Amino acid sequence: MEQNVFFLPHEGLKLAELAEFLGAELVNSDYANVIVRSVAPISRARAGDVCYILSRRSRDELATCQASAVICDKALADLVPPHIPVILSSNPHAAFAMAGGLFYPAALRPVVFSGESEIAPSAVIDPSAKLEKGVIVEPMAVIGAHAEIGEGTRIGAHSIIGPNVKIGRDCSIAAGASILCALLGNGVIIHNGARIGQDGFGYAPGPRGMIKIVQIGRVIIQDNVEIGANTTIDRGAMDDTVIGEGTKIDNQVQIGHNVQIGRHCAIVAQVGIAGSAKIGNGVQIGGQVGIKGHVTIGDGVQIAAQSGIMTDLAAGGQYGGTPARPLNDYLRDVAQQMSKTKVRGKKPGGEQND
């Protein structure tokens, strides 16, 4: 990490300015003019870097830390060595995230690889499409008939925007993405290779095999949603597939037709959500979770990784396991099973059974 040519350090910011931007408090004003340029983990932070701590487990790493500032809450400030300035925040994790975005704005969304500032000559744009001012279209992108794209949006190389698709302002559509039968709000980020709006998986058994059910719905993606690389979101069968405002979806997630996801959810990689499932606001779903079709997950639910959701989940709960159950019950079941396995695996004298 000594020579990171992909994301160069910031030109520099005074600690007092950084603290003000974060809505935090610089404990010792003697350090107000110290210059910081980057963020780093505690283990390798050096002069010019800002790091953060969330627990007392960081004590040993702080002993050798050379950062120019540490962000933490008041309860942990006493762990920071006297020579390192402290920035107090009630939410150090969020403050550190804000600092990273301030120092590296280009890392917050896909970049324009080609250097285009307008529309590349090799882009294919239907004459009936409407592009507001400031839209960037990179080489080999295709924009279909009657599509509409808002001001400040960037369309990546080799991406496909289907007929009648509407994309809001200040969106980023990365290289190789395809968007069909969809309406996108403002500030949406779609990463490389994502597939939005293809037909869902719907078939009816017939006397001679499976008969395809037409999928004539849409995908509605509200403001400030982010969708990871190679994620797929199917359009609705007859209703719409909806992704709520501010929701963040990781790479390689599959979302089936007619799924409705609420606002400000977090969905981690390789989650599969079957058709017509309904997910409330503020739901957090761990990696490789499978969700059965037509179930309802209440607001604020947290689901542990690799769980299987077979029935509705009440709002505000924590769940884990397959089939999913309250998290404490699941952890107790796991502990009991591990205990039984250990007992069966040993002879009375402690020797391992054959």
Side-chain angles (χ1 to χ4, degrees):
M1 297 297 292
E2 293 297 323
Q3 300 293 329
N4 188 347
V5 298
F6 302 108
F7 300 105
L8 300 178
H10 191 272
E11 62 184 10
L13 197 67
K14 294 179 180 179
L15 274 184
E17 296 171 329
L18 176 62
E20 182 179 4
F21 174 79
L22 300 177
E25 176 191 353
L26 178 62
V27 172
N28 189 337
S29 61
D30 291 343
Y31 295 108
N33 293 324
V34 170
I35 300 297
V36 286
R37 295 182 171 85
S38 184
V39 290
I42 302 172
S43 59
R44 59 175 182 78
R46 58 185 183 180
D49 293 336
V50 174
C51 58
Y52 76 115
I53 58 173
L54 294 177
S55 75
R56 293 187 174 273
R57 290 193 296 270
S58 302
R59 183 192 301 271
D60 292 342
E61 290 182 313
L62 280 169
T64 58
C65 182
Q66 299 181 36
S68 289
V70 171
I71 301 172
C72 66
D73 64 26
K74 189 174 182 179
L76 299 177
D78 63 319
L79 296 181
V80 181
H83 66 279
I84 300 179
V86 173
I87 296 177
L88 289 182
S89 170
S90 59
N91 189 341
H93 198 179
F96 185 76
M98 291 173 61
L102 179 64
F103 290 136
Y104 296 99
L108 292 176
R109 57 177 58 222
V111 299
V112 177
F113 296 110
S114 64
E116 293 288 346
S117 58
E118 295 181 352
I119 297 173
S122 61
V124 179
I125 302 176
D126 189 277
S128 64
K130 297 180 180 178
L131 278 62
E132 292 185 346
K133 66 180 181 179
V135 172
I136 297 173
V137 183
E138 293 197 77
M140 305 303 290
V142 177
I143 299 176
H146 305 292
E148 298 181 15
I149 300 175
E151 180 179 355
T153 289
R154 293 177 271 181
I155 307 298
H158 291 273
S159 56
I160 297 173
I161 310 301
N164 299 301
V165 166
K166 292 179 173 56
I167 299 175
R169 294 174 175 167
D170 298 315
C171 297
S172 293
I173 313 301
S178 61
I179 303 176
L180 312 171
C181 304
L183 307 177
L184 279 62
N186 299 321
V188 173
I189 299 174
I190 309 291
H191 286 274
N192 303 72
R195 304 290 179 227
I196 312 297
Q198 59 285 333
D199 62 344
F201 190 77
Y203 295 87
R208 296 186 179 180
M210 305 297 284
I211 303 171
K212 190 176 182 70
I213 298 173
V214 295
Q215 309 285 300
I216 56 174
R218 308 172 297 180
V219 176
I220 310 297
I221 298 176
Q222 296 179 359
D223 293 351
N224 301 314
V225 168
E226 184 162 357
I227 296 170
N230 295 326
T231 280
T232 56
I233 302 177
D234 297 339
R235 67 177 181 261
M238 285 167 280
D239 295 320
D240 294 328
T241 302
V242 179
I243 313 297
E245 177 186 359
T247 284
K248 312 301 181 185
I249 300 172
D250 198 0
N251 304 333
Q252 297 182 322
V253 171
Q254 159 62 18
I255 298 174
H257 58 197
N258 300 343
V259 168
Q260 296 181 17
I261 297 175
R263 301 167 59 222
H264 304 295
C265 297
I267 302 175
V268 183
Q270 298 184 346
V271 166
I273 305 176
S276 299
K278 294 183 179 180
I279 297 172
N281 299 320
V283 174
Q284 298 180 15
I285 304 175
Q288 296 185 330
V289 167
I291 299 177
K292 181 179 177 291
H294 299 272
V295 302
T296 297
I297 297 174
D299 293 349
V301 164
Q302 296 178 325
I303 303 175
Q306 296 189 325
S307 297
I309 312 305
M310 312 299 291
T311 59
D312 294 351
L313 300 181
Q318 296 180 313
Y319 301 90
T322 302
R325 47 210 184 272
L327 188 60
N328 287 339
D329 294 345
Y330 166 62
L331 294 175
R332 183 166 53 250
D333 292 344
V334 171
Q336 290 174 349
Q337 186 61 41
M338 291 178 65
S339 177
K340 291 177 182 178
T341 301
K342 289 179 181 179
V343 169
R344 287 197 302 267
K346 290 184 178 182
K347 294 179 180 179
E351 296 177 3
Q352 191 72 28
N353 286 326
D354 294 331

